[in-house]
C-alpha cells in the first residue's frame, strides 16, 4: 500500500535515543501524581512528587545532549511537561491546601501563577534563535525558572510541614507568595544558571562531600533542608543581578543592560526546554 503524500511518519529510533523523552514523560506523570496526592490531602507525598519531577526535568536535557538525541518533538514535549509539573500542579496544591478557603482571591492567585508560568515558557521558546547577545549572557536566566518557582511557591506548605500548623498556614500568606513568585517568573531580573557553573579541580572532592551532607540532611530533616535551599536561592538573586550588571559593564544608575538570553550551545533553561 502506498503511503499518502504529505503524511509525516516518525523515524525508527533506538531505545537509548528515547530515554530523554521517557524521562520527560515520567516528570509529567510525577507532576500529575502530585495533584492526585493533593486531592487526597497527602501533602508530604505531593511535595515529594514535585521534587521528583524537578530532578527528572534536570536530567532529561543533559542526557539528550549526551546521547545526541535532541529533537523538536522532545523540546515541545518538555515545555508542556514543565507547564503541568511546575505551573499547574504547585498552584492546584496550594488551592487544595488552603487557598480555597478565601474563595475568589485564592483562585485569582492560582490563575495568575499558572498564566505567568505559561508566559515564561512561551517567552523562552521565542528566545531560542537569538544569537546576537554576548555568550556570557548564557550564564543567566531572565526571571526565575519554572522548577525554582515551583519550589518557592510551595514554601508556605513546606514551612507548615516543618514547624507544624498555626504559623505558616494562612491562605493570605500562600496567596501573597504565589503572586510574588508569579511576578518573578515573568520579570526581567537576571538569575544564575547554575548548570553553567564549573567546579575547579581542587574543589571537586569538597563539592562531593557537600552533596553527601546535603543528602543526609534531606533524609533526616527534609522540610527544613528544603527551606534552607529555597532561602539560599533567594539570597543568590541579588548576587546574580550584581554579577550581571558587572559583566554588562554598567552600574546601578546606568542604562539597563540587554536582557539575559540562552546560549545556543546550551538551550535548556533549567532544562525547561532541552533540544531533543
Amino acid at each position: 500500500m502506498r503511503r499518502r503524500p504529505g503524511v509525516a511518519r516518525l523515524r525508527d529510533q533506538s531505545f537509548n535515543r528515547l530515554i530523554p523523552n521517557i524521562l520527560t514523560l515520567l516528570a509529567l506523570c510525577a507532576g500529575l501524581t502530585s495533584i492526585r496526592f493533593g486531592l487526597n490531602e497527602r501533602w508530604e507525598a505531593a511535595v515529594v512528587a514535585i521534587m521528583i519531577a524537578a530532578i527528572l526535568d534536570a536530567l532529561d536535557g543533559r542526557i539528550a545532549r549526551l546521547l545526541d538525541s535532541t529533537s523538536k518533538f522532545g523540546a515541545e514535549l518538555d515545555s508542556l511537561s514543565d507547564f503541568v509539573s511546575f505551573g499547574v500542579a504547585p498552584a492546584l496544591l496550594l488551592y487544595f491546601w488552603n487557598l480555597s478557603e478565601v474563595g475568589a482571591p485564592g483562585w485569582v492567585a492560582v490563575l495568575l501563577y499558572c498564566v505567568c508560568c505559561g508566559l515564561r515558557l512561551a517567552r523562552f521558546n521565542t528566545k531560542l534563535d537569538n544569537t546576537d547577545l554576548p555568550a556570557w549572557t548564557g550564564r543567566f536566566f531572565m526571571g526565575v525558572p519554572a522548577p525554582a518557582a515551583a519550589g518557592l511557591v510551595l514554601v508556605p506548605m513546606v514551612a507548615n510541614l516543618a514547624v507544624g500548623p498555626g504559623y505558616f498556614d494562612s491562605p493570605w500568606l500562600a496567596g501573597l507568595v504565589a503572586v510574588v513568585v508569579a511576578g518573578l517568573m515573568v520579570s526581567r531580573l537576571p538569575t544564575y544558571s547554575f548548570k553553567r557553573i564549573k567546579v575547579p579541580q581542587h574543589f571537586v572532592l569538597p563539592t562531593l562531600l557537600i552533596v553527601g551532607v546535603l543528602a543526609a540532611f534531606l533524609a533526616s530533616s527534609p522540610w527544613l533542608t528544603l527551606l534552607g535551599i529555597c532561602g539560599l536561592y533567594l539570597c543568590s538573586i541579588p548576587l546574580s543581578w550584581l554579577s550581571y550588571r558587572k559583566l554588562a559593564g554598567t552600574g546601578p544608575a546606568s542604562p539597563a543592560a540587554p536582557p539575559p538570553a540562552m546560549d545556543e550551545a546550551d538551550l535548556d533553561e533549567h532544562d525547561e526546554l532541552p533540544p531533543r
Side-chain angles (χ1 to χ4, degrees), residues 13 37 44 132 152 163 184 219 225 230:
Q13 298 282 343
F37 286 139
E44 297 91 343
D132 297 332
L152 293 178
V163 303
L184 289 175
T225 304
C230 290

Side-chain angles (χ1 to χ4, degrees), residues 49-151:
I50 295 292
M51 292 173 54
I52 293 174
I55 293 172
L56 293 171
D57 181 72
L59 293 175
D60 57 5
R62 289 157 176 79
I63 293 178
R65 288 190 295 276
L66 288 174
L67 298 177
D68 191 24
S69 58
T70 61
S71 72
K72 183 65 175 177
F73 175 83
E76 296 297 333
L77 178 63
D78 189 81
S79 185
L80 292 172
S81 173
D82 287 349
F83 179 68
V84 173
S85 299
F86 309 123
V88 176
L92 287 181
L93 286 183
L94 289 180
Y95 188 76
F96 298 149
W97 181 49
N98 64 8
L99 284 180
S100 60
E101 298 175 7
V102 296
W107 186 243
V108 168
V110 168
L111 291 179
L112 181 63
Y113 178 84
C114 291
V115 168
C116 288
C117 184
L119 291 174
R120 171 174 182 77
L121 289 167
R123 182 178 67 183
F124 175 71
N125 291 352
T126 63
K127 296 291 184 182
L128 290 180
D129 297 327
N130 189 349
T131 58
D132 297 332
L133 295 174
W136 58 263
T137 59
R139 305 176 193 175
F140 302 89
F141 300 139
M142 183 163 57
V144 173

